[in-house]
Structure formats: C-alpha cells, structure tokens
Amino acid sequence: MYRVAVLAGLAIVLSACSLNAPSMSFGQSSPEPVTASIKPPKGPPSGALGGEPKAERSTASGTRVAKLDDKVPSGTYEKAKPGALADRDYSTTGLDADRARTLINAYRAEKGLKPLKLNTELTTAAKDHSRDLAKWDRISHFGSDGSNPWDRVKRAGYNARLAAENVGTGQSTFDEVMKGWKDSPGHNKNLLLPDAEHMGIALVQEPKAEFKTFWTLVVGSPM
C-alpha cells in the first residue's frame, strides 16, 4: 500500500501513482481545465510505481489553479484502505534532509549530473504539501485548496523556470521511498533532471492516518 507520485516538467508536469495507475498530467499549454485521474489499486498492497509525466507549462502564462471549490477534484487522489499499513513499524521513521540530499546527489553523480543544493523555499513547498496530504490522509499532486505543484513553488517564493515533484506515502524510511522513486521511470526522471539546481524535501508523520507517512520532494532551478 506504499504510494509514490511524481511530477516534473519544463516549468511543470504531473503524474500521480498508485498500483496500476496511469500517467496523469497537466500544464498551461492550452485553455482547457486541469484534469487528472487515478484508478483504484488492484490486488494486494505492495510497492506502487508511477508513470512518466508528459506535460509542459509555460512560465509566461501566469499561475493557474484548479477550479475546485476548496476540494481536490474527484478521481485525482487515492486513499489507503483501512488497516493496510497497521502492521508496519514507524517508531524509528524520520528524515535527515542532509542525508537525503547526499543520497540523491550520489545517485546524480553516478549519471554525471551536478549536485543539488537544499533550498529554503522548495523545502517550504514540500512541507506544506506533506502537511496537507497528512491532514486529508491521501496522495495527490493537488492541494486541498486546489493548488498544483507549480502554484505551491511560486507561493513559497521560488521563481522557477523548472520544477518537479515526487510524492510518496506509507514508506518507513527515506531509503525505501528513494528506491521506489529510482525504480519508477517517471520518478527517476525527476531525480535526474539535468538542469535542476535546488531541492526541498519533507516528511510528515501522522500515526492516526492510514498512510502514516507523507513524503514530498521538490526539485527546481530558478529563472
């Protein structure tokens, strides 16, 4: 019942993931409303991988927010089944942001890519989204206020020309969520964005939630 979700783009792109979930994307290349969908999981709980995002957003078109009436659109998020992760031990779960950066940069170095620096604004965007997901106990790239990742990065004060978001729920360690991201083409693409310069990462734990842990990674480069 672990979940990972991914978003990337030249500006921004989105793909959320659940078991057997299709890619979903949004952007600002057309006037159509933001749309996305997630199929319910099939089979027993297991590691869930995401698809590759395939949308672009123009930085010249301004900020776009989904029209939601303060709710995430139906079909764009996933909830955990009651008790699905009740047997997991989260007593030692935590996040060391410096270690996470070191692991991500080591992986990027293997591919000949430059290291990422921790960024305050992107960390704020990641924390805000993890808190929101924990509050509603779900996985999605939409915030409960209708925001998408691009909106949250801009709101945090980061003037991005490139931004990408990976999300995971249910993992007990960063190593576990990192493995899921590396094994999924879409998530892996975000980890290895050649032009990315900065990152922010967050973990929010909510023992009363079915998903238990809510991880968000945001990477980007400034204008």
Side-chain angles (χ1 to χ4, degrees):
M1 183 55 70
Y2 321 131
R3 296 286 180 267
V4 286
V6 57
L7 188 145
L10 180 57
I12 243 179
V13 183
L14 174 140
S15 167
C17 6
S18 60
L19 269 174
N20 303 310
S23 297
M24 69 177 182
S25 63
F26 67 82
Q28 200 159 347
S29 57
S30 67
E32 286 78 15
V34 171
T35 60
S37 62
I38 296 179
K39 293 180 180 179
K42 299 176 182 179
S46 64
L49 305 179
E52 283 207 39
K54 292 292 182 183
E56 294 186 355
R57 179 188 177 111
S58 170
T59 58
S61 300
T63 300
R64 182 175 182 180
V65 180
K67 299 177 180 177
L68 306 179
D69 296 326
D70 297 325
K71 293 182 180 179
V72 170
S74 176
T76 64
Y77 63 90
E78 186 174 348
K79 305 281 283 187
K81 293 182 179 179
L85 297 173
D87 60 343
R88 296 268 290 172
D89 181 8
Y90 294 95
S91 61
T92 61
T93 299
L95 172 64
D96 181 332
D98 287 325
R99 178 176 179 272
R101 177 193 56 190
T102 297
L103 292 176
I104 291 172
N105 284 341
Y107 182 49
R108 288 175 61 86
E110 292 174 8
K111 311 298 181 181
L113 300 174
K114 62 187 177 185
L116 303 178
K117 299 177 182 178
L118 284 171
N119 175 270
T120 301
E121 289 81 12
L122 294 185
T123 297
T124 295
K127 286 181 179 178
D128 287 348
H129 193 49
S130 284
R131 288 179 183 130
D132 191 59
L133 294 179
K135 177 181 178 180
W136 293 90
D137 196 5
R138 61 190 175 202
I139 184 168
S140 177
H141 284 293
F142 286 98
S144 61
D145 62 351
S147 63
N148 60 47
W150 184 266
D151 301 321
R152 292 188 291 273
V153 166
K154 297 276 283 185
R155 182 188 300 162
Y158 190 88
N159 188 19
R161 65 177 175 85
L162 171 73
E165 180 182 87
N166 282 4
V167 179
T169 54
Q171 296 85 359
S172 61
T173 65
F174 178 74
D175 296 79
E176 186 179 6
V177 73
M178 181 69 173
K179 182 180 185 303
W181 288 341
K182 289 170 66 175
D183 289 345
S184 168
H187 303 89
N188 190 61
K189 182 178 179 179
N190 286 350
L191 293 172
L192 300 177
L193 286 172
D195 294 332
E197 298 179 25
H198 299 129
M199 63 170 280
I201 189 157
L203 164 66
V204 170
Q205 294 179 253
E206 179 45 74
K208 295 181 180 179
E210 295 295 345
F211 270 134
K212 310 300 183 187
T213 59
F214 302 82
W215 306 79
T216 301
L217 169 70
V218 182
V219 301
S221 58
M223 293 289 286

